[in-house]
Amino acid sequence: MAVTQNQKRNIDHLIELARQAGRPDASSSEKAARRIIELLMSEVVCMDPSAIEGIGDVAKIIGGGGVGAIDRLRESIDPAPPQDSGQHFLELRLEQSGKRHYLQARPLKCGDLIEVWIQAAGWELARYEYAFGDGEAWAILSEDKAIAIQDDTPCRWP
């Protein structure tokens, strides 16, 4: 399916509005654009492009773009941490007593408070935990919400 120049401009405009929706002072149009993109990402990505006739140009491009289209679109609307935000990454070191994560050259222990970068939410305060059995670091955000801290998850001390 060929995309016209006008369709591409419309899609780019919608995506740009969706990017702005993460700001505290985002307009209702920016928030609506983000909801449209999120809905399309969750509902349309696995559909055949011919099955989404009439939904719109964005849906057709996402549908025709395959599984990677959702990731590319999510990356384009979810901002990365600002370069000057003090982001760092966990470093796993082997000590005499075993493995230990370090953040900015300071050793971490279970229960320490850190900040982790969450796509679309920004910096979130979390409790650091380490599962010795499977060797995974976790950021406990609330009683019922936790994320695994990957090698590329930006972290910093609060």
Side-chain angles (χ1 to χ4, degrees):
M1 173 187 74
V3 178
T4 67
Q5 202 59 16
N6 193 38
Q7 289 171 324
K8 177 85 170 99
R9 276 193 300 274
N10 289 339
I11 293 165
D12 289 345
H13 180 68
L14 184 64
I15 291 171
E16 185 55 38
L17 284 174
R19 281 188 192 118
Q20 302 303 319
R23 296 188 340 247
D25 62 341
S27 71
S28 59
S29 295
E30 292 164 340
K31 291 176 184 175
R34 179 151 187 117
R35 285 192 299 272
I36 290 167
I37 295 292
E38 288 173 344
L39 179 65
L40 289 170
M41 287 190 308
S42 66
E43 299 296 328
V44 177
V45 110
C46 295
M47 297 177 95
D48 184 290
S50 63
I52 55 178
E53 192 65 41
I55 293 177
D57 300 329
V58 175
K60 290 177 188 175
I61 287 176
I62 294 171
V67 176
I70 192 169
D71 294 329
R72 289 188 301 276
L73 189 54
R74 182 170 286 119
E75 287 171 9
S76 79
I77 66 170
D78 284 336
Q83 291 299 322
D84 61 347
S85 65
Q87 71 176 3
H88 301 276
F89 304 97
L90 295 186
E91 177 188 353
L92 189 60
R93 296 182 188 176
L94 185 58
E95 299 180 335
Q96 275 187 330
S97 59
K99 296 177 183 177
R100 177 180 296 276
H101 276 116
Y102 280 72
L103 179 58
Q104 294 175 262
R106 287 177 42 196
L108 279 164
K109 61 183 182 309
C110 290
D112 281 344
L113 289 180
I114 62 172
E115 290 183 336
V116 293
W117 179 262
I118 308 292
Q119 293 282 4
W123 289 107
E124 294 271 337
L125 190 62
R127 187 180 78 237
Y128 165 83
E129 294 293 340
Y130 185 74
F132 290 97
D134 56 10
E136 286 191 346
W138 290 90
I140 311 300
L141 302 166
S142 67
E143 190 175 299
D144 59 345
K145 185 176 177 187
I147 62 163
I149 302 174
Q150 306 297 326
D151 291 340
D152 61 349
T153 302
C155 300
R156 67 182 183 188
W157 291 102

